[in-house]
Amino acid sequence: MADYVDDLEIAHAAALAGAAEGLRHFAALAGLPRELKQDGSVVTAADRAVEDRIREVLTGARPGDTILGEEHGETLGAEGRRWIIDPIDGTHLFVEGDDRWLVLIALEERGEITVGVAALPAQGQIFWAVRGEGARQAEVADGRIVGEQKITVAGGGPADLATSRLGVVPDWDRADVAALIDAADERPWSLHPGLLVARGDLDVAVQTSGKIWDFAATSLIVTEAGGDYRGLDGRTTPGPGASLYSRDAATGDAALAVLR
């Protein structure tokens, strides 16, 4: 078993291991079996294999922790610490050969997300945050994290929603946020719009659906970059339903006002 200095090192190791497993399947898409879950979303053997690999790392490093994963549910451990995994976020992108899929890992301690990692294996990029320590981005080369740099949301005064750069993910359920799309300046996105908000490339982003594993890591990355995260129902912690990422609370307020 490897020795890790802290939880971020464990999260990094788990994300890199999951990324490597995901890339192995991504390189062999033609033969990858695909199934539909009860909610109509796509799941593949790759999703399960990536989660298995991540769980292996987490269990080896912190055998007493609870683990919640999208594919295998919750494995209970001691109260107070829970790892939250989305092994392949954007399976619909993955199966189409689109490189924007992610591996998401977060640590929740006593109900608060304290570590979040978002890897884009096919792009060789990784983002992360530790509560109280800011957000960072780096490249992944030969299984190593290199070129670390701190990221922050876009600066300036209060954003005019009409000129605010907007990202919307995924491509369905857009009718639910049509008012915001009409009010803002929608842009195409090369990676998850929430991460683009975190590094200052977008002013606001909306994710039209999801579960806690879709938001746990990205919510911390955005807020540690200086931005704002909340559900469209007003919650400020990750959970089921649509979510909004914005460069500041004022922009988030303006977006929510339009949606309501």
Side-chain angles (χ1 to χ4, degrees), residues 12-13 30-31 38-39 105 111 119 126 139 154 167 169 176 232 236 248 256:
H12 275 163
Q38 289 185 342
D39 63 4
I105 300 173
I126 188 167
E139 296 181 356
V169 61
D176 295 338
L232 297 195
T236 57
D248 52 38
L256 285 178

Side-chain angles (χ1 to χ4, degrees), residues 111-162:
E112 182 177 70
I113 304 300
T114 57
V115 177
V117 176
L120 291 102
Q123 295 188 22
Q125 297 188 72
I126 188 167
F127 294 74
W128 71 89
V130 175
R131 184 164 294 279
E133 298 183 15
R136 287 166 173 77
Q137 175 185 0
E139 296 181 356
V140 177
D142 298 322
R144 295 183 302 109
I145 296 172
V146 297
E148 174 185 334
Q149 56 184 327
K150 191 170 184 177
I151 58 173
T152 60
V153 296
D160 178 356
L161 199 56

